[in-house]
Amino acid sequence: MMIRPILTTKANMRWMVLQVLFIVHCSLFISPTMAQNDTRLRQVYIQAASDYQLGRIEQARDSMLLYLDNFHGNDRQNALRLIALSYLARFDTKHTEQYATLLLAENPYYSVTSQDPPTFADIVNNIKAGMTATITTASSQAETLAEVPVPTTLITEQMIRDSGGRNLQEVLAAFVPGMNIVDCNDDVNISMRGIYSNTQEKILIMLNGHRMNSHATNTAAPDFSISLEKVKQIEVLRGPASSLYGGVALTAVVNIITKQGVDLDGLYAKAGAGNHGQLRADVVFGKRYFDLDMLVWGSIYHSKGERYGVNKDREDGLFTMPVDYVRIGRIGSPQPTYDFGLQIGYHGLQFLYNTHFTHVVSPFTTTTLALSYDHDRYRTYNGHQPGFSVYSHHADMSYQFSLMNFQFKAAVTYDKSDLMRYQVISDEPITALNTALGLPAELSTIFSTCSGLSRYVNGQEQDYGVQLKGNYSYNLGDEHKGNIGFGAEYGHFQLDDIRFQVGYNFEETLSETPALRNAGKGSENSGDAYLQLKHQWRSLIVNAGLRYDYKHRYDRSKVNEFSPRVALILTRPKWNARLSYSKSFVDAPYIYRKANLLNTLMEGLDASQAEPLSPERIHSFQLSFAGNGWLRGLDFEVNGFYNRANNLIMTHVLDYSNASKNQTIGVELMAKYHSPQTFGDDQRAPMSRFTADMNLTWTHTLKSNLMGLKLPEELNNFYTTDINANNNTPALRANLVVGWQATRQLRLHGHLLFESRQTSYNTDLVQIVKALNLIDIASKYYNDGDREQAEHYGLMAVEAMQHIVMARKMPARAIVNVGAAYTIGRVTLGVNIHNLLGTRYHRSGMNTNLVPQQGRWLMGSVACRL
C-alpha cells in the first residue's frame, strides 16, 4: 500500500527537476534574446524617426504601429508621440487625438517640447483640459485637481461671467472658501482665513506666474486695474505656499492665467456704462500666425462713486463731520484706472509686458477717526488728489525647452512701480489728537492750528530678477512614476526716491528735510533655491518640497528662511483624500521698516532706536476629501484646516510692530453641479445648460492678540487686552453662483452671498484722545488740591479706557447680484446688477472704523466679437 505513493513522489521529484532544468535553460536563452529585442526595438524607433524627418510619413507610422505592443515605458511614450505626429502630418486629426490620448494615459505629466508643431501642442493641451481640469500653480507643473498638494480652487472664464464679479476681489470672494472682503477704507482688500493687513500684502498674486506684488510694500490689490476679460482661468492655492513661491505667499497664491491668441482668433471689444458715473471699456485681440501666438489687451474703468449721507454730529462729541456726505466706490480721480498688456509666444519663447494703474479714493479720513472730508479742496501731487494709487510696469522674457526627460525654463524679469498713498487726516484742526499721536513740536503746532491736514508718501521702486526652473520626469515601471522639480532665483530691489510730506491748509506742505528723503532710499538683494519631489505609487502620491530664502536687507541685517511642505494624497476613480503640512513666511515690507526709521528720525531720536521688524510666519495643517461623479454632474470637496501664525505685523497710526498672532481652525465645503453640455453663446463654446457653484466656510479663532495694542505710555498701566475672537471675519460664510442657459441666445446668472454676524475690533483713537484728556484734567485738579474733581474725572477716564478697543457689531446679511447676457450673432448685450435689494451694511479692516458698503449698482454693456 505504501509502494504507489513512494513511486508517485519519486515521479513528481523527477518532473520538478526537469522543470527547473528547463527554466534555467530558457532563462539562459531568453536573457540575450530580450536584450537583442530591446536593441532591435530601439533600432526600429530610430529608423522610424529618421523616416519621419525625411518625409516618409506612412512608413514611419506603419512601422511604429506594427511594433507598438512591444514597446514599454519611455520607449512606448516616444512611439505613441511619433504615431500621433505622423497622423497630424497627414491632417488626420481624429487619429492624432486618439494616439495623443493614449500618450497622456501613459504619462499624464507629458509636456510638449519646442520641437513639436504648435497644432500638436494645442491638441495635447485640449485633451488634458477635456480629460480633467489641470493647473500648474500648485507644483509648477501640469496636474489635475486631485493630485495637487494643497486644496486648490480653479475658476474658469465662464465662472467669472456667471459670478457677475466686477473685479478680481469680488470673483475671489465668490468662489474661494476662506476668502472674504475686508474694507480698510483706502484699498481694495481681501483676507484669507481671518488674516489680513491694511493693504493686500499676505496673498501672492501672479500673472502667468509673474509676481505682481510690490517688493517695497508687498501689496497687489485685486482691484479694477486687473482686467478680467483677458483671463482664461484663475488658480488659487488655499494655504501657505512659500515652499515654491517664497515671501508674500503667506496665506494663499492667486495665479491669473491669460488666454492664448489662438483662444480668441480675432478681436473682442466691450463697452459699458452704469449709475454712479461708471464707465468701462475692454479690448482683447488674439491671433496665431503659424508658430507665433499673440495676445493684446486693454481695459479702463472709472466711477464717481455713490453719494452716501452721514450725520455731521458724532456720538463721541469730540469731532464733527465737516461734510454731510461721502463717496463710496470712487475709482480714478481724475484719471481712470487701466490695464494694458502684450503677450507673445514663439515655440518655447515667451514675452510678457503689462502696465496698469489704480487709484482708489477713501470715503473717510485716515484711521478710526473716520471723518468726512472735502476731497476736491486738497492740492494735487503729481496730478493726483487724495487716494491710494500705483503705476506698475511688469515685463519678463522666458524660454522653455526639453531635453530627454528634463524640462527647463529660464526667465528674466523687470518691474517698476510708482507708489503713492495720499491720506487726508482732517479738514479741521485736531488739537485733541496731538497727545495721542505723540507728535513732534512742529507737527503738533500745525495739527492744533491749521485745517486741511494730510499725509503724503510716494516712492519709486525697480526690481530685477533671474529665474531658472527645471523638472525631471521618470517612470519606474507600471506602478512607480513621478518627477523632481528644482529651481533657483536671484532678485535685486531698489527704492530710487521717496517723499514723506505733511500737508496743511489744503494747499501748503511742510518743508521736507533732505535727511528724511535720503533715509528712505535703499536697495536689497535676495536669492532662493527649492527642490520638490512628486512620486506616485499606484493610487498614493507623495509630494514634498523645501525652499530656502535669503535676503540681505538695506541695513545689513539678513533673513534666512526655510519653507517646507509635505502632502500625502490618495487618489481613486471617484474620490481622493489629502493630508498636508506647510510653513510659510513673508518678510516685513521694506516701506514698513523704513517708516519706523523715518518716524524715529522725525522724533529727533537716533536711528538705532527704530523698532525692528521680523518676518511673519504661519504653519498650516489641512485634511481634505473630494468626490466626483457620485451623482451625475456633481463634484464636491470638504477641507479642514488649522493655522498657527505669529509675528503678524500690526499697523498703528504712525508705525508698525510684530505684535499680533493668530490660531484658527475651520472647515471649507465646495460643491459644483454642471448639467450635461448642450449649447453655448457661440459655435465653438458648448456649455452646460445649468451650473451651480457653492461654497461654505466656518472659521473659528482659538487664540489671537488681534489688536497688538500700542497705547500711549500714560495708559499702559491701566489697560491690557487679549481678545480671542474672529475679527472682521464671519463665523459662517456661504456663496451660491448659478448660471442658466435659458435659450441659445440668453444666459442668466446670479450670485447669493450670506455672511453671519461679525464683530470689528480696532483701536478707537477717539476714546484714547478722550481718556488722555480726562487724565490731563484729573491731574490738574489733583495738583490744585481738588481731590473730589480729580476723582470724578479720573473715574471718567477709567470709563473711557474700557472702550479703547471698539467692538462694533455687524449684523448678518444676504447680498444678491443678478445679470443677463443676450447674444445676437457676434454682438452680446449684457446687464449686471450688484446688490439687487439695495441692502445697507458695513465692513471694516485694520485700523478702520465701520465703512458703509455700496448699495445698488448696475451696469449695461455691449460686446462684439470680430
Side-chain angles (χ1 to χ4, degrees):
M1 294 179 61
M2 297 293 298
I3 294 177
R4 186 171 181 176
I6 293 174
L7 291 177
T8 303
T9 302
K10 289 183 177 179
N12 288 340
M13 291 179 64
R14 291 193 196 99
W15 176 241
M16 290 173 63
V17 170
L18 288 175
Q19 284 182 316
V20 170
L21 291 175
F22 178 76
I23 291 172
V24 171
H25 176 75
C26 288
S27 64
L28 294 174
F29 174 76
I30 290 174
S31 295
T33 303
M34 291 178 64
Q36 292 175 5
N37 286 341
D38 289 343
T39 302
R40 176 172 173 74
L41 287 173
R42 184 63 182 165
Q43 291 174 346
V44 169
Y45 174 78
I46 292 173
Q47 181 61 48
S50 177
D51 290 339
Y52 175 83
Q53 294 294 334
L54 295 174
R56 295 195 285 265
I57 306 299
E58 286 78 9
Q59 187 173 338
R61 181 198 63 201
D62 293 343
S63 62
M64 286 294 92
L65 287 171
L66 181 63
Y67 290 96
L68 181 59
D69 291 339
N70 298 321
F71 285 103
H72 300 281
N74 289 330
D75 290 336
R76 180 175 175 82
Q77 173 182 311
N78 293 332
L80 289 168
R81 171 183 173 274
L82 186 55
I83 294 171
L85 290 175
S86 298
Y87 277 116
L88 181 63
R90 291 295 179 257
F91 306 103
D92 189 339
T93 305
K94 179 179 179 181
H95 284 94
T96 302
E97 292 177 347
Q98 175 185 343
Y99 284 93
T101 301
L102 292 174
L103 168 61
L104 291 172
E106 186 71 22
N107 180 12
Y109 308 113
Y110 176 79
S111 299
V112 293
T113 68
S114 57
Q115 286 75 37
D116 290 330
T119 307
F120 183 67
D122 291 340
I123 290 174
V124 170
N125 291 333
N126 288 337
I127 293 173
K128 283 184 177 181
M131 291 168 61
T132 183
T134 59
I135 68 168
T136 60
T137 308
S139 301
S140 287
Q141 59 184 291
E143 57 189 353
T144 68
L145 289 174
E147 299 174 291
V148 295
V150 295
T152 302
T153 299
L154 177 64
I155 305 172
T156 65
E157 179 183 1
Q158 188 59 51
M159 290 168 66
I160 294 173
R161 292 178 181 175
D162 286 344
S163 72
R166 298 168 296 176
N167 55 30
L168 180 61
Q169 178 202 48
E170 294 181 359
V171 172
L172 295 175
F175 291 109
V176 183
M179 281 193 180
N180 69 280
I181 296 173
V182 291
D183 194 332
C184 295
N185 192 35
D186 61 354
D187 187 34
V188 176
N189 204 346
I190 197 165
S191 77
M192 182 63 183
R193 295 171 179 168
I195 296 178
Y196 57 92
S197 297
N198 67 328
T199 59
Q200 195 303 101
E201 59 197 51
K202 300 290 192 286
I203 299 171
L204 175 63
I205 297 180
M206 302 189 296
L207 180 64
N208 291 336
H210 183 109
R211 167 178 169 158
M212 300 183 71
N213 296 66
S214 161
H215 289 260
T217 64
N218 289 348
T219 299
D223 55 21
F224 291 94
S225 68
I226 300 177
S227 166
L228 296 177
E229 297 298 337
K230 67 177 184 292
V231 177
K232 182 175 184 178
Q233 64 185 45
I234 302 172
E235 302 170 0
V236 184
L237 306 188
R238 307 195 319 266
S242 286
S243 61
L244 273 179
Y245 299 105
V248 186
L250 185 72
T251 59
V253 174
V254 176
N255 192 11
I256 302 167
I257 308 298
T258 62
K259 300 171 184 175
Q260 298 291 314
V262 70
D263 295 329
L264 271 81
D265 193 30
L267 178 71
Y268 176 80
K270 183 177 181 181
N275 61 345
H276 307 306
Q278 294 182 90
L279 293 173
R280 186 165 200 162
D282 295 272
V283 176
V284 187
F285 173 78
K287 205 73 176 177
R288 171 166 284 179
Y289 303 95
F290 299 103
D291 294 338
L292 181 70
D293 189 276
M294 180 173 66
L295 183 74
V296 183
W297 70 85
S299 174
I300 61 172
Y301 177 82
H302 176 271
S303 74
K304 293 181 179 179
E306 176 183 353
R307 182 165 172 154
Y308 183 90
V310 296
N311 189 351
K312 294 194 68 173
D313 297 322
R314 293 189 19 153
E315 295 177 359
D316 51 60
L318 290 178
F319 301 97
T320 59
M321 293 287 195
V323 184
D324 60 3
Y325 71 92
V326 295
R327 290 279 182 183
I328 305 171
R330 186 171 183 177
I331 304 293
S333 176
Q335 181 180 348
T337 183
Y338 62 74
D339 177 16
F340 298 103
L342 168 66
Q343 178 180 285
I344 298 176
Y346 180 77
H347 291 295
L349 188 66
Q350 293 283 334
F351 172 75
L352 169 69
Y353 171 73
N354 174 231
T355 179
H356 59 86
F357 166 74
T358 182
H359 185 84
V360 179
V361 180
S362 312
F364 296 99
T365 61
T366 185
T367 70
T368 55
L369 284 178
L371 303 172
S372 61
Y373 65 98
D374 192 345
H375 175 272
D376 295 333
R377 289 188 65 185
Y378 286 82
R379 61 161 294 174
T380 62
Y381 290 92
N382 297 327
H384 294 292
Q385 291 179 300
F388 174 72
S389 67
V390 180
Y391 283 102
S392 292
H393 302 269
H394 307 278
D396 72 39
M397 177 79 75
S398 64
Y399 181 67
Q400 188 168 346
F401 62 96
S402 299
L403 180 66
M404 302 290 288
N405 291 338
F406 286 91
Q407 291 85 41
F408 295 96
K409 181 179 180 180
V412 292
T413 63
Y414 174 73
D415 298 270
K416 183 176 182 179
S417 298
D418 190 319
L419 315 164
M420 184 195 78
R421 186 173 289 278
Y422 183 1
Q423 296 172 305
V424 172
I425 299 173
S426 175
D427 278 8
E428 300 174 348
I430 45 175
T431 306
L433 201 60
N434 296 335
T435 307
L437 297 182
L439 298 173
E442 186 177 14
L443 284 181
S444 180
T445 301
I446 290 176
F447 276 47
S448 300
T449 60
C450 299
S451 58
L453 302 171
S454 64
R455 180 174 67 169
Y456 175 78
V457 181
N458 173 242
Q460 294 81 41
E461 69 167 295
Q462 292 191 73
D463 311 288
Y464 308 85
V466 180
Q467 303 172 355
L468 176 63
K469 295 182 178 181
N471 193 65
Y472 171 72
S473 299
Y474 61 86
N475 194 326
L476 306 177
D478 296 333
E479 295 186 345
H480 293 271
K481 64 181 71 173
N483 56 72
I484 300 173
F486 51 89
E489 181 179 3
Y490 166 78
H492 174 77
F493 154 79
Q494 64 186 52
L495 196 65
D496 296 324
D497 188 22
I498 188 168
R499 299 176 65 185
F500 186 90
Q501 293 184 304
V502 173
Y504 61 97
N505 292 336
F506 298 99
E507 293 286 344
E508 301 179 66
T509 59
L510 190 64
S511 298
E512 184 182 29
T513 63
L516 285 177
R517 188 162 187 168
N518 292 329
K521 299 178 183 178
S523 64
E524 298 184 336
N525 295 295
S526 61
D528 63 72
Y530 76 87
L531 180 68
Q532 70 167 6
L533 168 68
K534 179 179 180 180
H535 182 83
Q536 180 172 358
W537 175 63
R538 295 182 180 176
S539 299
L540 182 64
I541 299 174
V542 178
N543 192 317
L546 178 66
R547 172 165 166 150
Y548 169 69
D549 281 84
Y550 169 83
K551 178 185 282 189
H552 190 277
R553 289 173 162 184
Y554 74 89
D555 59 358
R556 297 186 179 180
S557 62
K558 297 177 176 61
V559 174
N560 293 277
E561 290 287 335
F562 286 94
S563 303
R565 85 153 189 270
V566 62
L568 294 176
I569 308 160
L570 181 63
T571 62
R572 304 298 295 170
K574 288 197 173 186
W575 61 271
N576 65 82
R578 179 187 304 106
L579 174 64
S580 66
Y581 161 77
S582 56
K583 178 244 179 183
S584 279
F585 82 102
V586 56
D587 191 25
Y590 174 92
I591 204 71
Y592 287 4
R593 290 180 270 128
K594 281 291 187 178
N596 282 1
L597 173 63
L598 294 175
N599 289 327
T600 301
L601 295 175
M602 289 179 64
E603 294 173 7
L605 303 175
D606 186 79
S608 62
Q609 295 181 264
E611 183 170 353
L613 291 175
S614 302
E616 302 169 89
R617 301 179 182 90
I618 186 172
H619 300 262
S620 180
F621 297 86
Q622 302 193 74
L623 175 63
S624 60
F625 179 87
N628 60 283
W630 291 18
L631 296 175
R632 187 181 181 188
L634 179 65
D635 299 331
F636 70 91
E637 177 188 82
V638 181
N639 178 60
F641 66 86
Y642 166 73
N643 285 348
R644 179 167 56 86
N646 54 57
N647 274 0
L648 296 178
I649 294 175
M650 297 301 300
T651 305
H652 306 293
V653 179
L654 294 176
D655 56 3
Y656 307 86
S657 64
N658 292 107
S660 187
K661 58 189 176 183
N662 184 281
Q663 290 187 40
T664 306
I665 60 173
V667 177
E668 301 166 343
L669 170 64
M670 294 178 63
K672 179 189 297 287
Y673 174 76
H674 285 198
S675 65
Q677 289 191 342
T678 54
F679 47 78
D681 56 0
D682 61 58
Q683 297 299 319
R684 298 172 299 168
M687 65 182 66
S688 298
R689 188 179 183 92
F690 178 79
T691 64
D693 292 86
M694 186 273 287
N695 62 78
L696 183 147
T697 307
W698 173 75
T699 306
H700 176 67
T701 300
L702 298 172
K703 184 178 291 187
S704 175
N705 178 10
L706 289 173
M707 303 308 307
L709 279 179
K710 188 175 182 180
L711 301 175
E713 186 176 350
E714 296 91 332
L715 301 182
N716 277 336
N717 297 326
F718 295 93
Y719 191 88
T720 58
T721 181
D722 186 16
I723 300 171
N724 298 318
N726 291 358
N727 188 20
N728 291 306
T729 303
L732 192 65
R733 187 175 189 276
N735 286 278
L736 175 63
V737 177
V738 296
W740 180 40
Q741 195 70 36
T743 68
R744 184 177 294 275
Q745 291 79 27
L746 178 63
R747 185 168 183 85
L748 306 174
H749 61 80
H751 172 209
L752 172 63
L753 163 68
F754 170 77
E755 292 180 325
S756 65
R757 63 180 181 178
Q758 54 189 289
T759 305
S760 174
Y761 298 95
N762 269 303
T763 306
D764 194 334
L765 195 58
V766 173
Q767 292 299 324
I768 291 178
V769 171
K770 180 182 291 188
L772 290 172
N773 286 342
L774 291 169
I775 289 175
D776 187 53
I777 295 172
S779 298
K780 289 179 179 179
Y781 277 116
Y782 183 83
N783 294 332
D784 293 339
D786 190 340
R787 299 295 182 90
E788 183 178 349
Q789 287 296 323
E791 183 178 353
H792 171 71
Y793 283 99
L795 291 174
M796 291 178 63
V798 171
E799 174 64 23
M801 284 186 287
Q802 302 310 307
H803 303 283
I804 285 176
V805 174
M806 61 179 185
R808 302 292 177 86
K809 303 293 184 179
M810 291 173 279
R813 61 259 189 157
I815 309 299
V816 179
N817 307 322
V818 296
Y822 188 81
T823 302
I824 310 171
R826 296 179 178 272
V827 177
T828 300
L829 305 176
V831 61
N832 280 290
I833 304 175
H834 173 82
N835 196 355
L836 175 67
L837 304 179
T839 304
R840 283 300 177 188
Y841 64 105
H842 295 76
R843 296 190 191 276
S844 183
M846 186 178 292
N847 280 356
T848 307
N849 214 315
L850 296 189
V851 180
Q853 299 301 291
Q854 297 175 10
R856 186 182 298 107
W857 284 50
L858 60 91
M859 175 174 283
S861 64
V862 179
C864 182
R865 188 186 296 274
L866 301 175

